[in-house]
Protein backbone atom coordinates (compact mmCIF):
# COMPACT_ATOMS: atom_id res chain seq x y z
CA UNK A 1 0.00 0.00 0.00
CA UNK A 2 1.07 3.58 -0.42
CA UNK A 3 3.49 5.61 -2.49
CA UNK A 4 6.74 4.53 -4.10
CA UNK A 5 9.26 7.21 -5.05
CA UNK A 6 11.78 6.32 -7.75
CA UNK A 7 14.72 8.63 -8.50
CA UNK A 8 16.73 6.17 -10.60
CA UNK A 9 16.25 8.33 -13.71
CA UNK A 10 17.03 11.64 -12.01
CA UNK A 11 20.74 11.86 -12.90
CA UNK A 12 21.29 12.71 -9.23
CA UNK A 13 24.27 11.02 -7.64
CA UNK A 14 24.39 9.47 -4.19
CA UNK A 15 26.80 12.13 -2.87
CA UNK A 16 24.41 14.88 -3.97
CA UNK A 17 21.71 13.37 -1.77
CA UNK A 18 24.27 12.94 1.03
CA UNK A 19 25.06 16.65 0.78
CA UNK A 20 21.36 17.34 1.35
CA UNK A 21 20.98 15.12 4.42
CA UNK A 22 21.73 17.77 7.02
CA UNK A 23 19.85 20.51 5.16
CA UNK A 24 16.73 18.32 5.07
CA UNK A 25 17.12 17.45 8.75
CA UNK A 26 17.24 21.14 9.58
CA UNK A 27 14.14 21.83 7.46
CA UNK A 28 12.38 18.93 9.21
CA UNK A 29 13.23 20.33 12.64
CA UNK A 30 12.14 23.83 11.66
CA UNK A 31 8.80 22.47 10.40
CA UNK A 32 8.10 20.11 13.30
CA UNK A 33 9.31 22.45 16.05
CA UNK A 34 7.38 25.26 14.40
CA UNK A 35 10.32 27.63 14.61
CA UNK A 36 10.42 28.83 10.99
CA UNK A 37 8.53 31.39 8.94
CA UNK A 38 4.85 30.65 8.49
CA UNK A 39 4.72 28.14 11.35
CA UNK A 40 1.34 29.55 12.40
CA UNK A 41 -0.07 27.86 9.26
CA UNK A 42 1.14 24.33 9.90
CA UNK A 43 -2.02 22.84 11.41
CA UNK A 44 -2.19 20.38 8.48
CA UNK A 45 1.10 18.80 9.61
CA UNK A 46 -0.46 16.83 12.49
CA UNK A 47 -4.14 17.23 11.66
CA UNK A 48 -4.93 13.83 13.19
CA UNK A 49 -4.05 15.18 16.65
CA UNK A 50 -6.53 18.03 16.64
CA UNK A 51 -9.07 16.88 14.09
CA UNK A 52 -12.54 18.07 15.09
CA UNK A 53 -14.45 14.77 15.15
CA UNK A 54 -17.76 16.34 16.21
CA UNK A 55 -17.70 18.80 13.36
CA UNK A 56 -16.78 15.97 10.99
CA UNK A 57 -19.83 13.94 12.08
CA UNK A 58 -22.03 16.99 11.47
CA UNK A 59 -20.38 17.36 8.05
CA UNK A 60 -21.18 13.76 7.16
CA UNK A 61 -24.81 14.27 8.23
CA UNK A 62 -25.06 17.39 6.09
CA UNK A 63 -23.53 15.58 3.14
CA UNK A 64 -26.17 12.83 3.51
CA UNK A 65 -28.91 15.48 3.54
CA UNK A 66 -27.50 17.03 0.36
CA UNK A 67 -27.14 13.62 -1.29
CA UNK A 68 -30.80 12.88 -0.53
CA UNK A 69 -32.24 16.22 -1.59
CA UNK A 70 -30.10 17.77 -4.31
CA UNK A 71 -29.73 17.25 -8.04
CA UNK A 72 -26.83 19.71 -8.01
CA UNK A 73 -24.35 20.89 -5.43
CA UNK A 74 -22.81 24.19 -6.48
CA UNK A 75 -19.42 24.65 -4.83
CA UNK A 76 -18.35 28.29 -4.84
CA UNK A 77 -14.66 29.00 -4.15
CA UNK A 78 -11.31 29.70 -5.76
CA UNK A 79 -7.66 28.64 -5.33
CA UNK A 80 -7.21 26.59 -2.18
CA UNK A 81 -10.95 26.85 -1.55
CA UNK A 82 -11.66 25.06 -4.84
CA UNK A 83 -8.91 22.97 -6.40
CA UNK A 84 -8.48 20.21 -3.81
CA UNK A 85 -12.14 19.19 -3.80
CA UNK A 86 -12.30 19.17 -7.58
CA UNK A 87 -9.04 17.22 -7.86
CA UNK A 88 -10.23 14.45 -5.53
CA UNK A 89 -13.75 14.28 -6.97
CA UNK A 90 -12.41 13.96 -10.51
CA UNK A 91 -9.68 11.48 -9.56
CA UNK A 92 -11.85 9.05 -7.61
CA UNK A 93 -15.24 9.23 -9.28
CA UNK A 94 -16.52 7.99 -12.60
CA UNK A 95 -14.77 9.77 -15.51
CA UNK A 96 -18.14 11.17 -16.59
CA UNK A 97 -19.51 11.73 -13.10
CA UNK A 98 -21.71 14.70 -13.93
CA UNK A 99 -23.03 13.07 -17.13
CA UNK A 100 -24.43 9.93 -15.50
CA UNK A 101 -28.20 9.88 -16.04
CA UNK A 102 -30.60 10.73 -13.22
CA UNK A 103 -32.00 7.21 -12.77
CA UNK A 104 -28.52 5.71 -12.45
CA UNK A 105 -26.93 8.20 -10.10
CA UNK A 106 -26.72 7.98 -6.33
CA UNK A 107 -25.19 11.40 -5.67
CA UNK A 108 -25.82 14.93 -6.89
CA UNK A 109 -23.86 16.44 -9.72
CA UNK A 110 -21.15 18.75 -8.40
CA UNK A 111 -20.44 21.98 -10.27
CA UNK A 112 -17.78 24.51 -9.31
CA UNK A 113 -18.37 28.25 -9.56
CA UNK A 114 -16.70 31.40 -8.24
CA UNK A 115 -13.35 30.34 -9.69
CA UNK A 116 -13.44 32.90 -12.52
CA UNK A 117 -15.07 36.22 -13.33
CA UNK A 118 -17.14 35.10 -16.30
CA UNK A 119 -20.68 36.34 -16.81
CA UNK A 120 -21.14 33.73 -19.51
CA UNK A 121 -20.16 30.88 -17.19
CA UNK A 122 -22.62 32.00 -14.52
CA UNK A 123 -25.45 32.68 -17.00
CA UNK A 124 -24.98 29.25 -18.58
CA UNK A 125 -24.94 27.63 -15.16
CA UNK A 126 -28.22 29.26 -14.11
CA UNK A 127 -29.80 27.96 -17.32
CA UNK A 128 -28.74 24.43 -16.39
CA UNK A 129 -29.84 24.46 -12.73
CA UNK A 130 -32.92 26.67 -12.80
CA UNK A 131 -35.44 23.81 -12.62
CA UNK A 132 -33.29 21.49 -10.51
CA UNK A 133 -32.96 20.87 -6.80
CA UNK A 134 -29.91 22.84 -5.70
CA UNK A 135 -27.68 23.17 -2.63
CA UNK A 136 -24.87 25.73 -2.45
CA UNK A 137 -21.60 25.38 -0.53
CA UNK A 138 -19.80 28.72 -0.51
CA UNK A 139 -16.18 28.44 0.63
CA UNK A 140 -13.87 31.31 1.48
CA UNK A 141 -11.44 31.60 4.36
CA UNK A 142 -11.08 35.35 4.15
CA UNK A 143 -14.68 35.78 3.10
CA UNK A 144 -13.70 38.72 0.92
CA UNK A 145 -12.35 37.10 -2.26
CA UNK A 146 -13.89 38.81 -5.28
CA UNK A 147 -14.56 35.81 -7.53
CA UNK A 148 -16.56 33.69 -5.05
CA UNK A 149 -18.20 36.81 -3.58
CA UNK A 150 -19.61 37.76 -7.00
CA UNK A 151 -20.81 34.21 -7.72
CA UNK A 152 -22.40 33.91 -4.27
CA UNK A 153 -24.22 37.20 -4.57
CA UNK A 154 -25.95 35.79 -7.67
CA UNK A 155 -26.54 32.35 -6.15
CA UNK A 156 -27.98 33.79 -2.91
CA UNK A 157 -30.56 35.70 -4.94
CA UNK A 158 -31.23 32.66 -7.12
CA UNK A 159 -31.79 30.41 -4.09
CA UNK A 160 -34.01 32.93 -2.28
CA UNK A 161 -36.16 33.45 -5.38
CA UNK A 162 -36.37 29.71 -6.02
CA UNK A 163 -37.01 28.46 -2.47
CA UNK A 164 -37.94 31.57 -0.46
CA UNK A 165 -35.63 32.98 2.23
CA UNK A 166 -36.46 30.34 4.87
CA UNK A 167 -35.87 27.28 2.71
CA UNK A 168 -32.87 28.85 0.97
CA UNK A 169 -31.07 29.20 4.28
CA UNK A 170 -31.31 25.43 4.79
CA UNK A 171 -29.75 24.81 1.40
CA UNK A 172 -26.80 27.18 1.70
CA UNK A 173 -23.72 26.07 3.63
CA UNK A 174 -20.80 28.38 4.32
CA UNK A 175 -17.29 27.05 4.91
CA UNK A 176 -15.20 29.87 6.35
CA UNK A 177 -13.19 31.25 9.25
CA UNK A 178 -14.58 30.40 12.68
CA UNK A 179 -15.14 33.99 13.75
CA UNK A 180 -13.95 36.57 11.20
CA UNK A 181 -14.73 37.84 7.72
CA UNK A 182 -17.67 38.93 5.59
CA UNK A 183 -18.82 35.39 4.78
CA UNK A 184 -18.93 34.48 8.47
CA UNK A 185 -20.98 37.64 9.07
CA UNK A 186 -23.29 36.87 6.14
CA UNK A 187 -23.78 33.31 7.40
CA UNK A 188 -24.59 34.52 10.90
CA UNK A 189 -27.12 37.08 9.72
CA UNK A 190 -28.81 34.67 7.32
CA UNK A 191 -28.62 31.60 9.57
CA UNK A 192 -26.61 29.34 7.23
CA UNK A 193 -24.99 26.21 8.59
CA UNK A 194 -21.24 26.79 8.75
CA UNK A 195 -18.10 24.66 8.77
CA UNK A 196 -14.76 25.95 9.96
CA UNK A 197 -11.51 26.43 8.08
CA UNK A 198 -9.02 26.20 10.97
CA UNK A 199 -6.97 29.32 11.71
CA UNK A 200 -3.72 27.40 11.37
CA UNK A 201 -4.38 25.94 7.91
CA UNK A 202 -3.97 28.09 4.79
CA UNK A 203 -6.09 27.70 1.65
CA UNK A 204 -3.85 25.45 -0.42
CA UNK A 205 -3.23 23.08 2.51
CA UNK A 206 -6.95 22.85 3.38
CA UNK A 207 -8.32 19.99 1.27
CA UNK A 208 -8.55 17.67 4.29
CA UNK A 209 -10.64 20.21 6.24
CA UNK A 210 -14.36 20.90 5.53
CA UNK A 211 -13.16 22.88 2.47
CA UNK A 212 -12.58 19.65 0.61
CA UNK A 213 -14.32 17.08 2.77
CA UNK A 214 -17.91 18.32 2.36
CA UNK A 215 -18.02 18.43 -1.47
CA UNK A 216 -16.01 15.21 -1.66
CA UNK A 217 -18.40 13.41 0.71
CA UNK A 218 -21.43 14.69 -1.22
CA UNK A 219 -20.02 13.13 -4.39
CA UNK A 220 -20.09 9.72 -2.68
CA UNK A 221 -16.39 9.30 -1.93
CA UNK A 222 -15.48 7.67 1.40
CA UNK A 223 -13.83 10.53 3.30
CA UNK A 224 -13.05 8.28 6.31
CA UNK A 225 -10.63 6.36 4.08
CA UNK A 226 -9.06 9.56 2.70
CA UNK A 227 -8.42 10.72 6.26
CA UNK A 228 -7.07 7.29 7.20
CA UNK A 229 -4.59 7.53 4.32
CA UNK A 230 -3.55 11.05 5.29
CA UNK A 231 -3.20 10.25 9.00
CA UNK A 232 -1.13 7.19 8.14
CA UNK A 233 1.06 9.39 5.93
CA UNK A 234 1.69 11.67 8.92
CA UNK A 235 3.44 8.71 10.56
CA UNK A 236 5.15 7.37 7.44
CA UNK A 237 6.71 10.71 6.53
CA UNK A 238 7.73 11.82 10.02
CA UNK A 239 11.23 10.33 9.85
CA UNK A 240 13.87 13.07 9.73
CA UNK A 241 16.41 10.85 7.91
CA UNK A 242 16.43 11.75 4.25
CA UNK A 243 17.14 8.25 2.98
CA UNK A 244 14.31 6.78 5.10
CA UNK A 245 11.68 9.28 4.02
CA UNK A 246 10.45 9.14 0.41
CA UNK A 247 8.58 12.40 0.82
CA UNK A 248 11.82 14.15 1.77
CA UNK A 249 13.65 12.37 -1.06
CA UNK A 250 11.17 14.02 -3.44
CA UNK A 251 11.79 17.46 -1.86
CA UNK A 252 15.56 16.96 -1.96
CA UNK A 253 15.50 15.74 -5.57
CA UNK A 254 13.59 18.84 -6.66
CA UNK A 255 15.98 21.16 -4.88
CA UNK A 256 19.11 19.38 -6.17
CA UNK A 257 17.77 19.57 -9.73
CA UNK A 258 16.86 23.22 -9.28
CA UNK A 259 20.40 24.01 -8.12
CA UNK A 260 21.61 22.37 -11.34
CA UNK A 261 19.60 24.78 -13.49
CA UNK A 262 16.30 22.90 -13.76
CA UNK A 263 13.81 25.71 -13.26
CA UNK A 264 10.65 23.96 -14.42
CA UNK A 265 9.04 20.85 -12.99
CA UNK A 266 6.48 19.16 -15.19
CA UNK A 267 4.02 16.87 -13.43
CA UNK A 268 2.88 14.20 -15.85
CA UNK A 269 0.05 11.72 -15.63
CA UNK A 270 -1.30 9.03 -17.93
CA UNK A 271 -4.88 9.11 -16.62
CA UNK A 272 -7.32 11.87 -17.63
CA UNK A 273 -8.94 11.72 -14.19
CA UNK A 274 -5.69 13.00 -12.65
CA UNK A 275 -5.58 16.25 -14.57
CA UNK A 276 -7.07 18.23 -11.68
CA UNK A 277 -4.62 16.66 -9.24
CA UNK A 278 -2.05 18.47 -11.38
CA UNK A 279 -4.01 21.73 -11.12
CA UNK A 280 -4.14 21.39 -7.34
CA UNK A 281 -0.43 20.48 -7.22
CA UNK A 282 0.48 23.50 -9.39
CA UNK A 283 -1.32 25.85 -7.01
CA UNK A 284 0.26 24.20 -3.96
CA UNK A 285 3.80 24.48 -5.32
CA UNK A 286 3.40 27.69 -7.32
CA UNK A 287 1.90 29.75 -4.53
CA UNK A 288 4.13 28.21 -1.89
CA UNK A 289 7.51 28.42 -3.62
CA UNK A 290 7.45 31.22 -6.15
CA UNK A 291 8.75 34.11 -4.09
CA UNK A 292 11.84 36.17 -3.31
CA UNK A 293 12.72 35.76 -7.02
CA UNK A 294 13.19 32.03 -6.45
CA UNK A 295 11.21 28.86 -7.06
CA UNK A 296 10.64 25.97 -9.43
CA UNK A 297 7.93 26.78 -11.97
CA UNK A 298 5.28 24.03 -11.66
CA UNK A 299 3.84 22.95 -15.00
CA UNK A 300 1.78 19.92 -15.99
CA UNK A 301 0.96 17.75 -18.97
CA UNK A 302 -1.64 15.04 -19.50
CA UNK A 303 -0.14 12.10 -21.36
CA UNK A 304 -0.48 10.59 -23.79
CA UNK A 305 -2.69 13.48 -25.01
CA UNK A 306 0.05 16.09 -24.66
CA UNK A 307 2.72 13.90 -26.24
CA UNK A 308 1.08 15.15 -29.40
CA UNK A 309 1.62 18.77 -28.41
CA UNK A 310 4.09 19.45 -25.60
CA UNK A 311 5.99 16.20 -26.24
CA UNK A 312 8.15 17.92 -28.82
CA UNK A 313 9.22 20.65 -26.39
CA UNK A 314 10.00 18.19 -23.63
CA UNK A 315 12.04 15.95 -25.93
CA UNK A 316 14.00 18.64 -27.78
CA UNK A 317 13.51 22.05 -26.21
CA UNK A 318 15.65 23.97 -23.71
CA UNK A 319 17.10 21.64 -21.06
CA UNK A 320 15.86 23.56 -18.01
CA UNK A 321 13.11 21.08 -17.14
CA UNK A 322 12.58 17.92 -15.17
CA UNK A 323 9.56 15.65 -15.03
CA UNK A 324 7.75 14.09 -12.10
CA UNK A 325 5.55 11.24 -13.28
CA UNK A 326 2.46 10.46 -11.24
CA UNK A 327 1.78 6.82 -12.06
CA UNK A 328 -1.03 4.49 -10.96
CA UNK A 329 0.01 0.84 -11.00
CA UNK A 330 -3.41 -0.85 -11.08
CA UNK A 331 -6.72 0.62 -12.11
CA UNK A 332 -9.96 -1.16 -11.36
CA UNK A 333 -11.43 -0.71 -14.83
CA UNK A 334 -9.94 -1.77 -18.15
CA UNK A 335 -10.74 -3.07 -21.63
CA UNK A 336 -9.10 -5.79 -23.71
CA UNK A 337 -8.30 -5.13 -27.36
CA UNK A 338 -9.90 -7.72 -29.66
CA UNK A 339 -8.67 -9.11 -32.94
CA UNK A 340 -10.30 -7.79 -36.12
CA UNK A 341 -10.64 -9.81 -39.35
CA UNK A 342 -9.67 -6.96 -41.63
CA UNK A 343 -6.99 -5.42 -39.37
CA UNK A 344 -7.05 -2.24 -41.47
CA UNK A 345 -5.91 -0.21 -38.45
CA UNK A 346 -2.97 -2.66 -38.02
CA UNK A 347 -3.73 -3.19 -34.37
CA UNK A 348 -4.03 -6.98 -34.35
CA UNK A 349 -0.56 -7.26 -32.86
CA UNK A 350 -2.18 -5.89 -29.70
CA UNK A 351 -5.11 -8.29 -29.61
CA UNK A 352 -5.54 -9.83 -26.19
CA UNK A 353 -3.71 -6.92 -24.59
CA UNK A 354 -5.48 -4.43 -22.32
CA UNK A 355 -5.61 -0.68 -22.91
CA UNK A 356 -3.73 -0.24 -19.61
CA UNK A 357 -0.94 -2.46 -20.93
CA UNK A 358 -0.56 -0.17 -23.95
CA UNK A 359 -0.66 2.89 -21.68
CA UNK A 360 2.06 1.43 -19.47
CA UNK A 361 4.30 0.83 -22.47
CA UNK A 362 3.61 4.39 -23.60
CA UNK A 363 4.84 5.57 -20.19
CA UNK A 364 7.96 3.39 -20.30
CA UNK A 365 8.77 4.42 -23.88
CA UNK A 366 8.27 8.09 -23.06
CA UNK A 367 10.39 7.82 -19.92
CA UNK A 368 13.24 6.27 -21.90
CA UNK A 369 12.97 8.87 -24.66
CA UNK A 370 12.91 11.86 -22.29
CA UNK A 371 15.79 10.48 -20.21
CA UNK A 372 17.76 9.96 -23.44
CA UNK A 373 16.88 13.58 -24.23
CA UNK A 374 18.57 14.61 -20.94
CA UNK A 375 15.43 15.31 -18.97
CA UNK A 376 15.73 14.07 -15.37
CA UNK A 377 12.68 12.01 -14.45
CA UNK A 378 11.24 11.29 -11.02
CA UNK A 379 8.44 8.77 -10.48
CA UNK A 380 5.75 8.82 -7.82
CA UNK A 381 3.81 5.57 -8.04
CA UNK A 382 0.53 4.72 -6.31
CA UNK A 383 -0.42 1.07 -6.29
CA UNK A 384 -4.12 1.92 -6.67
CA UNK A 385 -6.30 4.95 -7.29
CA UNK A 386 -8.43 4.83 -4.16
CA UNK A 387 -9.37 6.93 -1.17
CA UNK A 388 -6.58 5.68 1.09
CA UNK A 389 -3.88 6.36 -1.48
CA UNK A 390 -5.38 9.74 -2.27
CA UNK A 391 -5.13 10.76 1.40
CA UNK A 392 -1.56 9.52 1.39
CA UNK A 393 -0.71 11.47 -1.75
CA UNK A 394 -2.25 14.74 -0.57
CA UNK A 395 -0.17 14.64 2.61
CA UNK A 396 2.95 13.54 0.71
CA UNK A 397 2.73 16.54 -1.63
CA UNK A 398 1.86 19.01 1.13
CA UNK A 399 4.76 17.95 3.33
CA UNK A 400 7.22 17.75 0.44
CA UNK A 401 6.21 21.28 -0.51
CA UNK A 402 6.78 22.66 2.98
CA UNK A 403 10.19 20.94 3.25
CA UNK A 404 11.17 22.17 -0.24
CA UNK A 405 10.21 25.70 0.72
CA UNK A 406 12.31 25.63 3.88
CA UNK A 407 15.28 24.14 1.99
CA UNK A 408 14.92 27.03 -0.44
CA UNK A 409 14.80 29.54 2.41
CA UNK A 410 11.34 30.94 1.72
CA UNK A 411 8.07 30.98 3.65
CA UNK A 412 5.95 28.27 1.98
CA UNK A 413 2.76 29.41 3.71
CA UNK A 414 2.22 32.99 2.58
CA UNK A 415 1.33 34.47 -0.81
CA UNK A 416 2.18 38.20 -0.79
CA UNK A 417 2.51 38.27 -4.59
CA UNK A 418 -1.17 37.66 -5.28
CA UNK A 419 -2.16 41.03 -3.80
CA UNK A 420 -0.70 43.11 -6.63
CA UNK A 421 -3.28 42.26 -9.30
CA UNK A 422 -6.08 42.74 -6.79
CA UNK A 423 -4.82 46.22 -5.88
CA UNK A 424 -4.71 47.25 -9.55
CA UNK A 425 -8.08 45.69 -10.35
CA UNK A 426 -9.78 47.37 -7.39
CA UNK A 427 -8.27 50.72 -8.43
CA UNK A 428 -9.57 50.25 -11.96
CA UNK A 429 -12.98 49.26 -10.60
CA UNK A 430 -13.08 52.30 -8.30
CA UNK A 431 -13.44 50.21 -5.13
CA UNK A 432 -13.77 52.52 -2.09
CA UNK A 433 -10.72 52.41 0.21
O1 LIG B 1 -3.91 29.08 -0.97
C1 LIG B 1 -4.41 30.16 -0.75
O2 LIG B 1 -4.31 30.72 0.36
C2 LIG B 1 -5.25 30.85 -1.80
O3 LIG B 1 -5.20 30.18 -3.00
C3 LIG B 1 -6.69 30.95 -1.35
O4 LIG B 1 -7.19 29.67 -1.08
C4 LIG B 1 -7.58 31.63 -2.40
O5 LIG B 1 -7.06 32.89 -2.72
C5 LIG B 1 -9.00 31.77 -1.88
O6 LIG B 1 -9.02 32.48 -0.68
P1 LIG B 1 -10.28 32.51 0.25
O7 LIG B 1 -10.55 31.14 0.75
O8 LIG B 1 -9.92 33.45 1.36
O9 LIG B 1 -11.45 33.02 -0.57
Amino acid sequence: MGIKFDYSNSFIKEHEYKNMEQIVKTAHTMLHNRTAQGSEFTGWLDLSLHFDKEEYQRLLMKSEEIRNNADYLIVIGIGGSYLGARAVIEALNHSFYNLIEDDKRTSPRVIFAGNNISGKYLSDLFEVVKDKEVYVNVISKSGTTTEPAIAFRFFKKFMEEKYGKEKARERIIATTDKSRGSLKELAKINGYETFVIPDDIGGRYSVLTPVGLLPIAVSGINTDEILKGAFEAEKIYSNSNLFDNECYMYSASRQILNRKGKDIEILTNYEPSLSFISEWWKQLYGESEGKDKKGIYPASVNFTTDLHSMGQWIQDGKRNIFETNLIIKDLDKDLTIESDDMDLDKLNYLSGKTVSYVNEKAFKGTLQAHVQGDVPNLIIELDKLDEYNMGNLIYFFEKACAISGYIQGINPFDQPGVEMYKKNMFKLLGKPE
Side-chain angles (χ1 to χ4, degrees), residues 265-278:
E265 177 177 10
I266 305 174
L267 189 70
T268 84
N269 67 70
Y270 286 74
E271 281 301 323
S273 62
L274 295 179
S275 73
F276 257 86
I277 293 288
S278 300

Side-chain angles (χ1 to χ4, degrees), residues 74-121:
I74 310 297
V75 182
I76 299 178
I78 195 165
S81 294
Y82 153 58
L83 286 159
R86 183 157 181 188
V88 175
I89 289 172
E90 294 204 1
L92 297 183
N93 269 309
H94 192 284
S95 298
F96 303 95
Y97 176 75
N98 277 339
L99 296 183
I100 296 173
E101 287 150 34
D102 286 341
D103 56 341
K104 297 202 185 87
R105 42 185 326 119
T106 50
S107 5
R109 293 173 174 84
V110 180
I111 306 274
F112 294 89
N115 52 61
N116 55 54
I117 314 183
S118 165
K120 172 174 164 39
Y121 186 92

Side-chain angles (χ1 to χ4, degrees), residues 76-83 139-149 175-176 183 197 201-206 211 283-284 287-288 413-415 418-419 421-422:
I76 299 178
I78 195 165
S81 294
Y82 153 58
L83 286 159
I139 309 173
S140 177
K141 186 168 186 187
S142 62
T144 53
T145 309
T146 309
E147 292 87 340
T175 306
T176 188
L183 181 56
I197 311 177
I201 301 185
R204 58 192 177 273
Y205 291 82
S206 71
V211 170
Q283 192 227 353
L284 179 61
E287 229 172 41
S288 299
F413 305 112
D414 65 359
Q415 53 284 324
V418 300
E419 295 311 315
Y421 96 90
K422 292 184 192 168

